[in-house]
Every structure is written in C-alpha cells, then in structure tokens.
C-alpha cells in the first residue's frame, strides 16, 4: 500500500507546484503590432518549486500575441515608471503618492531597481522604499505580470511621437517585504502601468487617454491597489496609490481638491501628511545629493 501511495503523492505535489503562469487563458485582446517570436512551452525551463513570493490568486490572462510581446520585451523600466530621459540622459523612477490605512494617511512609494528573472520572463525582482510619517523603509520582493493589452489612444501629450508610438497597459501582482524596522510588514496587491513603445522600439511609462476602463493604471501612468500586513501583529491596512494624486485623491475624499483652475489640496487634510506634497527632498536617495547655494 505504501509503495503505491508515495508515487501518487509525489505526482500530486509536482502538479500543485507548477507555476500559475503556465495556465494560459486566451482572450480576444488585439494582437501586438510588432512581429514576435513565440517561445514554445517545450523550450521553457521546467518549474518544479512553487513561487511563494507571489500567490496564484490572480490567474494569468494574456492573449498569445501579448504573451509573446511580454517575453520579447523587458518591462523592468516600465514597472519603475521610467519616463523620457532628461537633458543629461538620465531617467528617474516615478514616486507615487497614496492613501494608507483607515485614516488614509499619506504614503509614498518608489521602485528603485527592478530586474527580470533570467529563467521566467514574466517575473520581476524588486527593490524599493516607502515613506510613511517621515519613516523611510526599504523593501524587496517581486512583481509577476498577469495581464497585458494594447490600447488605441484618443489623445496624447506628444502629438508627433503619438503618430509612431504604440500604447499598452499592464497589470502585475506584487509582493514586497519591508526590512530593517520593528514596524515592518508585507505589501501585497496589484500594480497597473500604462506605457508606450516609441518609434525606436524603446518602452517608457506615460500618461495617455485611451480607454480608462480598460487601462490598468486608469490613464494615470502607475496605480497601486493592495494591502499591508504587519509582520509583528498581523494588523492589516489598505493601500491605494498612484502617479496622479489629483485623480486618485478625489476617489478617496470628494473634497480633496479645492482648487478652481489648478490642483490645490484641502487644508483640512494637512494633518494626514498632505501639507508636505510639494517638498522635493528626494527621500529615496541612498545619499543626499549636493545642492547649489545662490
């Protein structure tokens, strides 16, 4: 009896530990414009060990052409929210603002370094930081790409580039563990990013108007929706953040913006950390950058 039971148990464990990304749900999403080469399932490295960093709660849902695009193109910079390079040729990750916990206190997030997994092109390894009530905490973890769509645009900030660019929206599942703090915890949830492929085939995160009901970042470049769990007490807090605080703020507080012609935060929310919105202290930098005194 034991000789029969153990092989069956082993086969069941191997089946349960197959990576969720191998389950493909074919949708009616439009095909990618660029020619791509589909990597056959037979050539993928075998996956036996379960990926405990990201749960399988959200199924992989990409059309075959979108999956091929995702395997052909590295989205590391897109997940960071990298935009056009500045005059010095440098790109900086997008710092997102958000609402944290039942009182919706301000929190800031930045993904400083992202690398694509060498064996699994849909898995990305993340290093970042968050700032909450003046405390800066580093975190590490993963993002797994779950959905990818191409999006026809209605309008775009850079008209000429828009004639040659192709636009996409991606949805990922994230799991990040904070480090070096007694109040550390684990962030889990979804990250959406809207991005474009320029005429030279490079990818950058960007704002554009297409179909915000189908855009995972809602046209706001980057969008986070998740939950934080304390590693010490198990306490849970909701997280909602975006690259566009004006857009996301009105979904939390109806009177968040009191400006008539320009964005202006209601003074009554200053006690929740929003009086510091315009401070540009680059809190995420590992060492302070020199400043010029005039």
């Amino acid at each position: 009896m034991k000789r029969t039971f153990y092989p069956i148990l082993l086969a069941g464990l191997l089946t349960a530990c197959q990576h969720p990304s191998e389950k493909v749900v074919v949708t009616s999403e439009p095909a990618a414009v660029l020619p791509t080469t589909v990597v056959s399932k037979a050539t993928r490295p075998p996956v036996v060990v379960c990926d405990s960093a990201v749960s399988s709660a959200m199924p992989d849902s990409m059309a075959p052409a979108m999956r091929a695009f995702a395997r052909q193109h590295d989205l590391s910079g897109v997940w960071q929210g990298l935009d056009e390079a500045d005059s010095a040729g440098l790109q900086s990750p997008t710092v997102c603002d958000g609402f944290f916990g039942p009182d919706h206190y301000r929190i800031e997030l930045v993904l400083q370094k992202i690398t694509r997994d060498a064996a699994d092109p849909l898995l990305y390894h993340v290093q970042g930081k968050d700032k909450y009530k003046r405390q800066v905490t580093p975190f590490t973890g993963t993002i797994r790409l779950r959905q990818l769509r191409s999006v026809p645009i209605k309008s775009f900030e850079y008209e000429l580039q828009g004639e040659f660019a192709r636009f996409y929206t991606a949805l990922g599942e994230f799991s990040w563990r904070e480090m070096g703090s007694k109040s550390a915890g684990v962030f889990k949830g979804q990250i959406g990013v809207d991005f474009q492929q320029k005429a030279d085939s490079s990818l950058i995160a960007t704002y554009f108007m297409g179909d915000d009901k189908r855009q995972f970042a809602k046209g706001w470049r980057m969008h986070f929706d998740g939950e934080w769990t304390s590693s010490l007490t198990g306490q849970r807090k909701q997280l909602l953040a975006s690259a566009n605080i004006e857009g996301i703020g009105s979904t939390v507080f109806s009177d968040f913006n009191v400006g008539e012609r320009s964005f202006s935060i209601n003074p009554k929310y200053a006690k929740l950390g929003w009086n510091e919105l315009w401070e540009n202290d680059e809190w995420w930098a590992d060492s302070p950058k020199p400043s010029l005194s005039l």
Side-chain angles (χ1 to χ4, degrees), residues 100-113:
F100 188 57
D103 59 352
H104 306 303
Y105 201 96
R106 184 190 181 199
I107 189 171
E108 297 175 80
L109 299 167
V110 60
L111 307 184
Q112 293 177 292
K113 182 179 180 181

Side-chain angles (χ1 to χ4, degrees), residues 11-83:
L13 289 173
L14 290 175
T15 301
C17 288
Q18 287 180 342
H19 207 287
S21 66
E22 298 300 320
K23 299 179 181 180
V24 182
V25 179
V26 178
T27 67
S28 58
E29 298 297 337
V33 179
L34 294 184
T36 54
T37 302
V38 178
V39 180
S40 66
K41 188 173 182 179
T43 61
R44 300 175 192 166
V47 179
V48 177
V49 180
C50 288
D51 177 13
S52 58
V54 178
S55 72
S56 58
M58 187 198 308
D60 184 341
S61 179
M62 281 182 282
M66 291 291 97
R67 178 181 293 279
F69 180 93
R71 291 184 178 276
Q72 185 180 13
H73 297 85
D74 188 341
L75 303 185
S76 296
V78 168
W79 293 125
Q80 287 185 270
L82 296 186
D83 200 347

